[in-house]
Amino acid sequence: MTTTTTASQQTASAGAGTAPTVSTAVADVIAERAHHLFGLMGNGNAHLISHLTYAGFPFTSARHEAATVTMADAWHRATGTVGVATTTYGAGFTNTYTALAEARLARIPLVLVVGDAPTTGPRSFDIDQTTAAAAVGVTTLVATPQNAAAVAHRAFDLALQTVQPVVLAIPYDVGTAPLAAEQSGLEPLPAKPAWHADPADLDRIADLLRAAERPLVLAGRGVVLADAAVPLRELGDRLGALFMTSVMAVGVVDSPWDLGVAGGFTRAHRLELARQADVVLVAGASLNAFQSRYGTLFPEGAKVIRIDNEPAEDLAHPQVTDYLRADLAPALTGLAERIPAADPALTWRARVPEAADAAFHSAEPVEDPAEFGADGRLNPRAVVAALEEILPKERSVVMDGGHFIGWAPMYLSVPDPRAMVLVGTAFQSIGLGFGSAAGVSAARPDRTTVLVTGDGGGLMGLADLETFLRATRRGVVVVLNDSAYGAELHQYASKGLDPTAMLIDEVDFAALGRALGARGAKAHTLADLEALREWLATGEDGVFVLDVAISQKVIAEFMAASLDAGKRL
């Protein structure tokens, strides 16, 4: 099978004043398959980027290569489409490594186009990038004069089919090489297998669900990816069940009976209800340690039924009593068809009507409403609960990694699942927040981008505060600043280790933001949050940086649960 260069490719290349090359062929595929490119230019990708920007293709430049991948990662989380990033070779590639590992572990489909060593052999500063990518489970494809367009399309197809990042490498000595007259095609990817539930299995699970007195349905990201929210809600409504979601599926079930995020981010009064369930249906959720609250989210003895299309051995979990491997949408539809609507007066919902009340879903910090912690600094629960009412409702909430993530998913609501973006939690990394937020701003400029970060992660990724300011039409940065690496304080200083290396000198991020052109204020009391409210009321475009001096003495619920379980994060 052979293909030839298309007329559109020739026209685009001619417009840039060059004949079609490997770099321009890859660029043309990016223009066809993607909506935005995130990158940082260097010797290995200069021609690729120039070809696209010459034609006006949307491009956002990072200030550190890690942010190129986090922007593409966040783009996918915010839109559902494949993100694309590009860096040069060598240090340009290795600087992406943490973000690439995060995307792999979080199962984010993106394409990272990188320069690479010449085909004639590595130079003194080259490394084996293919092996390095493989070490974190990422496949590398290589563009050549014979296959540039085909292999670029393959990178997108593979990312989509495997729900994984893919690296597309352009060796240095072929980047400007002309395309071969005859282009080599690639064999089509094998079709992704479909997993159809056996009717007998659906009958058996339907029987278990019908017998439940207090059924709970937990929806994960798989429901979002499978577009299975409608049959899931239908099933839950027929059962008179309560719902919960993973943090990556928050709001996927549009129901007043949704208890919110499951696990370490669950509000105390909602957790109390979840722990009464006798049968739990888990659909497309990982049930990882955070999500299951270290095995304490559900009561002992509860039947836990899991439906997913992954191999059972990959999703083994000690609490799961019944596993069905099936594609979610048809399986959930099949279950709903097998279950007649229960008498509303006899369901669990009838016994807990308060679960559907507006007050039950409010941000009131019932766990601890005090304004200050024991050290006189602000209680982060009270702060974030107050922000729920101050921030615009049409918002995207983005979080860096760190101890501070315990509060935003508990108290801040979002319009839909793609508006809650946590980049870093899969790999337990910090410092990816500013890049992630810039990617979300590019993806959803119609919404106010709200970045919640800590001081440790904020300082680590500080170079791309400038990227966020440049990429954001209207945004808010909330720095929950405890002048420390909070996770380490709670895990190690509490056990007697010397806290010297866990502490950070007080930094005024609002002043840093103002130095780069943002508005900003430092908050020491809840009354100081009014500065943000007043700025939002002006309707101005731009970014406001709110640096909140929070207590070192308040421990997030997810962290407390891990310590109670004898775990260190």
Side-chain angles (χ1 to χ4, degrees):
M1 175 181 176
T2 60
T3 59
T4 57
T5 304
T6 67
S8 62
Q9 289 172 324
Q10 291 173 337
T11 300
S13 298
T18 60
T21 66
V22 170
S23 291
T24 62
V26 171
D28 287 336
V29 173
I30 292 172
E32 178 182 344
R33 299 291 298 268
H35 303 283
H36 204 106
L37 178 65
F38 303 98
L40 205 163
M41 183 180 283
N43 291 341
N45 63 354
H47 294 88
L48 173 116
I49 293 174
S50 176
H51 184 71
L52 286 164
T53 56
Y54 181 93
F57 189 77
F59 171 75
T60 300
S61 179
R63 298 306 178 214
H64 187 284
E65 284 91 353
T68 66
V69 175
T70 58
M71 284 192 286
D73 179 325
W75 171 279
H76 168 75
R77 299 188 201 221
T79 67
T81 61
V82 177
V84 189
T86 183
T87 70
T88 189
Y89 45 70
F93 168 78
T94 59
N95 276 346
T96 71
Y97 205 56
T98 295
L100 188 62
E102 161 68 18
R104 167 64 181 84
L105 292 173
R107 301 197 62 180
I108 303 298
L110 64 83
V111 176
L112 171 59
V113 184
V114 297
D116 207 345
T119 59
T120 52
R123 300 156 295 186
S124 61
F125 47 81
D126 285 315
I127 65 167
D128 187 345
Q129 296 179 185
T130 298
T131 298
V136 291
V138 176
T139 298
T140 299
L141 305 179
V142 180
T144 72
Q146 291 75 35
N147 73 358
V151 81
H153 279 294
R154 173 58 53 86
F156 280 89
D157 294 340
L158 190 62
L160 283 168
Q161 186 176 105
T162 61
V163 198
Q164 300 286 349
V166 175
V167 172
L168 176 58
I170 302 176
Y172 182 69
D173 57 334
V174 304
T176 57
L179 296 180
E182 295 294 319
Q183 291 288 290
S184 301
L186 300 173
E187 291 297 320
L189 284 172
K192 190 171 185 176
W195 295 93
H196 301 290
D198 187 297
D201 287 330
L202 292 175
D203 290 341
R204 172 175 51 81
I205 290 175
D207 288 342
L208 292 172
L209 293 172
R210 278 196 301 268
E213 294 184 6
R214 297 175 302 280
L216 178 68
V217 177
L218 172 55
R221 181 188 177 211
V223 173
V224 179
L225 295 177
D227 196 19
V230 171
L232 183 83
R233 176 169 178 172
E234 174 68 18
L235 175 60
D237 287 345
R238 285 176 172 271
L239 292 167
L242 303 183
F243 298 101
M244 298 187 86
T245 71
S246 71
V247 72
M248 292 187 72
V250 60
V252 70
V253 183
D254 184 14
S255 171
W257 300 101
D258 181 4
L259 301 182
V261 179
F265 301 140
T266 305
R267 300 287 303 281
H269 57 301
R270 301 173 193 172
L271 180 63
E272 182 180 348
L273 273 185
R275 285 175 170 166
Q276 297 174 28
D278 61 342
V279 176
V280 181
L281 176 65
V282 180
S286 67
L287 276 186
N288 61 44
F290 298 111
Q291 210 172 81
S292 66
R293 209 176 177 101
Y294 294 90
T296 66
L297 180 63
F298 312 131
E300 289 187 18
K303 291 184 173 66
V304 180
I305 305 162
R306 186 174 197 163
I307 303 177
D308 211 304
N309 60 5
E310 300 291 333
E313 57 272 19
D314 291 353
L315 295 177
H317 192 281
Q319 289 183 289
V320 172
T321 56
D322 205 312
Y323 179 75
L324 173 62
R325 187 176 189 185
D327 292 333
L328 285 173
L332 293 170
T333 300
L335 285 173
E337 291 171 347
R338 286 165 166 78
I339 295 176
D343 181 345
L346 301 178
T347 66
W348 190 15
R349 293 178 180 180
R351 299 193 294 276
V352 289
E354 69 276 8
D357 290 345
F360 192 87
H361 296 273
S362 74
E364 182 184 349
V366 295
E367 290 78 7
D368 179 9
E371 182 171 3
F372 299 105
D375 54 2
R377 294 167 70 97
L378 279 164
N379 173 9
R381 295 189 189 95
V383 170
V384 180
L387 290 174
E388 165 67 7
E389 301 305 320
I390 293 173
L391 293 167
K393 296 302 181 186
E394 193 61 25
R395 63 197 179 215
S396 299
V397 175
V398 187
M399 276 165 283
D400 197 354
H403 175 247
F404 70 90
I405 68 170
W407 298 294
M410 293 181 69
Y411 300 109
L412 295 185
S413 60
V414 291
D416 57 60
R418 297 199 181 279
M420 181 72 78
V421 176
L422 287 78
V423 178
T425 54
F427 197 40
Q428 298 295 284
S429 62
I430 68 172
L432 303 180
F434 286 121
S436 302
V440 171
S441 291
R444 294 302 305 262
D446 54 313
R447 291 178 170 170
T448 299
T449 304
V450 179
L451 170 64
V452 185
T453 185
D455 49 325
L459 289 171
M460 187 179 290
L462 193 59
D464 284 291
L465 168 57
E466 185 275 339
T467 304
F468 177 61
L469 299 181
R470 177 167 30 89
T472 301
R473 181 188 65 82
R474 187 164 168 82
V476 176
V477 177
V478 179
V479 184
L480 296 178
N481 186 346
D482 60 358
S483 293
Y485 295 103
E488 284 65 34
L489 274 183
H490 295 300
Q491 293 179 99
Y492 298 107
S494 63
K495 298 183 184 302
L497 274 69
D498 179 34
T500 299
M502 307 172 197
L503 301 176
I504 300 171
D505 289 346
E506 187 84 16
V507 173
D508 187 342
F509 285 85
L512 288 170
R514 290 194 299 269
L516 292 173
R519 300 294 185 91
K522 184 90 175 182
H524 296 280
T525 68
L526 290 179
D528 292 339
L529 303 184
E530 288 303 307
L532 172 60
R533 190 193 300 271
E534 291 168 3
W535 178 79
L536 289 168
T538 68
E540 293 178 9
D541 284 350
V543 173
F544 192 97
V545 180
L546 181 69
D547 185 324
V548 185
I550 65 165
S551 174
Q552 295 178 357
K553 304 300 182 181
V554 178
I555 183 168
E557 280 72 9
F558 82 90
M559 179 70 71
S562 73
L563 296 175
D564 288 344
K567 306 290 186 181
R568 287 195 301 271
L569 304 180

XYZ file of all heavy atoms in Angstrom, residues 273-314:
317
model
N -23.813 8.218 55.063
C -24.808 7.510 54.260
C -24.175 6.401 53.429
O -24.708 5.292 53.346
C -25.530 8.495 53.340
C -26.753 9.215 53.883
C -27.395 10.059 52.800
C -27.755 8.223 54.425
N -23.046 6.707 52.777
C -22.393 5.711 51.927
C -22.069 4.451 52.715
O -22.138 3.330 52.179
C -21.124 6.296 51.317
N -21.728 4.626 53.967
C -21.341 3.479 54.791
C -22.540 2.653 55.270
O -22.375 1.705 56.023
C -20.519 3.967 55.982
C -19.102 4.357 55.575
C -18.307 4.946 56.710
N -16.891 5.079 56.351
C -16.007 5.807 57.029
N -16.403 6.473 58.111
N -14.754 5.868 56.650
N -23.731 3.009 54.806
C -24.912 2.210 55.108
C -25.318 1.308 53.945
O -26.231 0.492 54.080
C -26.086 3.127 55.466
C -25.871 3.971 56.709
C -26.997 4.957 56.929
O -28.127 4.722 56.517
N -26.684 6.079 57.580
N -24.655 1.449 52.796
C -25.043 0.683 51.609
C -24.851 -0.813 51.846
O -23.869 -1.234 52.472
C -24.215 1.132 50.413
N -25.791 -1.610 51.311
C -25.621 -3.058 51.407
C -25.187 -3.671 50.078
O -24.589 -4.741 50.052
C -26.888 -3.743 51.933
C -28.094 -3.542 51.035
O -28.076 -2.621 50.190
O -29.077 -4.304 51.178
N -25.479 -2.993 48.969
C -25.018 -3.428 47.649
C -24.484 -2.202 46.912
O -25.156 -1.168 46.847
C -26.144 -4.085 46.827
C -25.644 -4.442 45.432
C -26.668 -5.328 47.529
N -23.274 -2.317 46.376
C -22.639 -1.209 45.661
C -22.329 -1.659 44.240
O -21.691 -2.701 44.034
C -21.331 -0.768 46.354
C -20.709 0.411 45.599
C -21.572 -0.418 47.807
N -22.793 -0.883 43.268
C -22.455 -1.132 41.869
C -21.394 -0.121 41.459
O -21.637 1.085 41.480
C -23.680 -0.988 40.976
C -23.423 -1.142 39.478
C -22.970 -2.559 39.135
C -24.648 -0.772 38.658
N -20.210 -0.608 41.105
C -19.090 0.244 40.699
C -18.966 0.164 39.181
O -18.684 -0.906 38.629
C -17.778 -0.203 41.368
C -16.630 0.697 40.927
C -17.911 -0.189 42.881
N -19.172 1.271 38.497
C -19.146 1.300 37.037
C -18.006 2.182 36.547
O -18.027 3.402 36.733
C -20.472 1.819 36.488
N -16.991 1.568 35.958
C -15.900 2.325 35.342
C -15.056 3.122 36.296
O -14.493 4.150 35.919
N -14.934 2.678 37.542
C -14.114 3.371 38.536
C -12.994 2.453 38.996
O -13.168 1.229 39.063
C -14.959 3.810 39.733
N -11.848 3.024 39.352
C -10.664 2.217 39.663
C -10.712 1.597 41.047
O -10.041 0.607 41.311
C -9.399 3.081 39.552
O -9.380 4.067 40.571
N -11.472 2.204 41.967
C -11.477 1.771 43.362
C -10.073 1.795 43.962
O -9.713 0.941 44.771
C -12.088 0.374 43.518
C -13.605 0.288 43.626
C -14.039 -1.142 43.921
C -14.169 1.233 44.678
N -9.272 2.789 43.566
C -7.937 2.893 44.141
C -8.033 3.274 45.619
O -9.121 3.500 46.153
C -7.072 3.886 43.352
C -7.659 5.292 43.360
O -8.104 5.793 44.384
N -7.664 5.939 42.202
N -6.894 3.353 46.274
C -6.886 3.567 47.721
C -7.573 4.865 48.117
O -8.298 4.931 49.112
C -5.444 3.548 48.243
N -7.355 5.940 47.333
C -7.994 7.214 47.644
C -9.505 7.111 47.467
O -10.274 7.594 48.284
C -7.453 8.318 46.739
C -5.989 8.567 46.904
C -5.098 8.232 45.905
C -5.497 9.145 48.060
C -3.743 8.461 46.060
C -4.138 9.383 48.217
C -3.257 9.036 47.213
N -9.900 6.482 46.363
C -11.317 6.388 46.010
C -12.091 5.541 47.011
O -13.241 5.845 47.351
C -11.433 5.774 44.620
C -12.609 6.186 43.804
C -12.463 5.632 42.404
O -12.762 4.476 42.156
N -11.966 6.443 41.494
N -11.469 4.478 47.484
C -12.142 3.577 48.430
C -11.909 3.986 49.883
O -12.354 3.298 50.797
C -11.650 2.142 48.221
O -10.279 2.023 48.563
N -11.202 5.097 50.071
C -10.870 5.593 51.408
C -10.160 4.491 52.203
O -10.467 4.205 53.335
C -12.111 6.084 52.137
C -11.851 7.204 53.150
C -13.158 7.710 53.755
N -12.946 8.726 54.765
C -13.083 10.032 54.596
N -13.441 10.488 53.411
N -12.887 10.879 55.587
N -9.197 3.885 51.540
C -8.389 2.819 52.139
C -9.276 1.681 52.665
O -9.065 1.138 53.731
C -7.476 3.375 53.232
C -6.442 4.294 52.654
C -6.703 5.651 52.539
C -5.234 3.819 52.167
C -5.776 6.507 51.961
C -4.306 4.663 51.593
C -4.578 6.011 51.487
O -3.658 6.847 50.901
N -10.280 1.349 51.838
C -11.135 0.218 52.169
C -12.208 0.519 53.183
O -12.902 -0.402 53.637
N -12.406 1.802 53.536
C -13.389 2.147 54.569
C -14.612 2.878 54.021
O -15.484 3.287 54.783
C -12.745 3.018 55.657
O -12.379 4.298 55.102
C -11.519 2.346 56.250
N -14.691 3.067 52.687
C -15.821 3.802 52.119
C -17.122 3.018 52.256
O -18.179 3.586 52.520
C -15.547 4.104 50.642
C -16.633 4.881 49.897
C -16.814 6.265 50.502
C -16.300 4.999 48.414
N -17.045 1.703 52.067
C -18.231 0.858 52.151
C -18.186 0.033 53.434
O -17.109 -0.288 53.940
C -18.314 -0.081 50.947
C -18.109 0.603 49.628
C -17.219 0.089 48.690
C -18.812 1.758 49.314
C -17.029 0.708 47.474
C -18.630 2.393 48.093
C -17.735 1.880 47.174
N -19.335 -0.349 53.951
C -19.344 -1.140 55.181
C -18.861 -2.568 54.941
O -18.949 -3.084 53.821
C -20.816 -1.131 55.589
C -21.558 -0.944 54.308
C -20.696 -0.051 53.460
N -18.336 -3.184 55.972
C -17.956 -4.588 55.875
C -19.200 -5.418 55.575
O -20.275 -5.174 56.110
C -17.324 -5.065 57.190
C -15.947 -4.495 57.455
C -15.294 -5.119 58.676
O -15.756 -6.205 59.091
O -14.352 -4.511 59.203
N -19.031 -6.386 54.695
C -20.140 -7.256 54.348
C -20.965 -6.785 53.174
O -21.836 -7.527 52.696
N -20.733 -5.566 52.695
C -21.489 -5.089 51.538
C -21.086 -5.858 50.288
O -19.911 -6.185 50.088
C -21.249 -3.605 51.327
N -22.057 -6.172 49.451
C -21.756 -6.765 48.148
C -21.272 -5.645 47.230
O -21.939 -4.608 47.103
C -22.993 -7.437 47.547
C -23.456 -8.699 48.262
C -24.618 -9.333 47.516
C -24.988 -10.681 48.124
N -25.525 -10.524 49.502
N -20.127 -5.831 46.607
C -19.568 -4.831 45.702
C -19.465 -5.459 44.315
O -18.670 -6.369 44.091
C -18.191 -4.334 46.177
C -17.639 -3.291 45.211
C -18.286 -3.744 47.582
N -20.297 -4.973 43.405
C -20.350 -5.478 42.029
C -19.625 -4.478 41.139
O -19.894 -3.278 41.198
C -21.805 -5.624 41.566
C -22.597 -6.512 42.532
C -21.867 -6.169 40.148
C -24.098 -6.358 42.395
N -18.741 -4.978 40.314
C -17.951 -4.079 39.465
C -18.177 -4.427 37.996
O -18.133 -5.603 37.607
C -16.476 -4.232 39.811
C -15.561 -3.263 39.104
C -14.160 -3.427 39.643
N -13.319 -2.300 39.327
C -12.181 -2.031 39.931
N -11.743 -2.814 40.900
N -11.459 -0.994 39.589
N -18.388 -3.384 37.182
C -18.519 -3.548 35.737
C -17.471 -2.678 35.065
O -17.378 -1.484 35.322
C -19.914 -3.144 35.232
C -21.002 -3.944 35.944
C -20.022 -3.347 33.718
C -22.409 -3.543 35.546
N -16.672 -3.290 34.198
C -15.648 -2.561 33.458
C -15.255 -3.430 32.274
O -15.540 -4.633 32.249
C -14.431 -2.268 34.339
C -13.738 -0.967 33.951
O -13.361 -0.854 32.771
O -13.585 -0.095 34.811
N -14.577 -2.834 31.289
C -14.143 -3.637 30.141
C -12.661 -3.968 30.192
O -12.071 -4.377 29.197
C -14.492 -2.950 28.821
C -13.830 -1.590 28.667
O -13.027 -1.175 29.496
N -14.176 -0.879 27.595
N -12.040 -3.790 31.348
C -10.645 -4.162 31.545
C -10.572 -5.597 32.068
O -11.531 -6.104 32.657
C -9.981 -3.213 32.540
C -9.973 -1.761 32.114
C -9.070 -1.500 30.926
O -8.099 -2.260 30.742
O -9.335 -0.544 30.178
N -9.415 -6.253 31.897
C -9.274 -7.623 32.427
C -9.483 -7.657 33.935
O -9.055 -6.755 34.661
C -7.829 -7.993 32.058
C -7.467 -7.087 30.930
C -8.211 -5.813 31.159
N -10.127 -8.699 34.406
C -10.436 -8.812 35.833
C -9.180 -8.753 36.686
O -9.164 -8.132 37.752
C -11.195 -10.107 36.095
N -8.077 -9.379 36.205
C -6.853 -9.411 37.005
C -6.234 -8.019 37.150
O -5.563 -7.724 38.128
C -5.830 -10.380 36.415
C -5.439 -10.113 34.967
C -6.346 -10.807 33.946
O -7.473 -11.196 34.331
O -5.924 -10.956 32.791
N -6.478 -7.143 36.170
C -5.954 -5.779 36.256
C -6.735 -4.938 37.256
O -6.237 -3.902 37.722
C -6.000 -5.105 34.881
C -5.008 -5.711 33.898
O -4.206 -6.563 34.321
O -5.049 -5.340 32.714
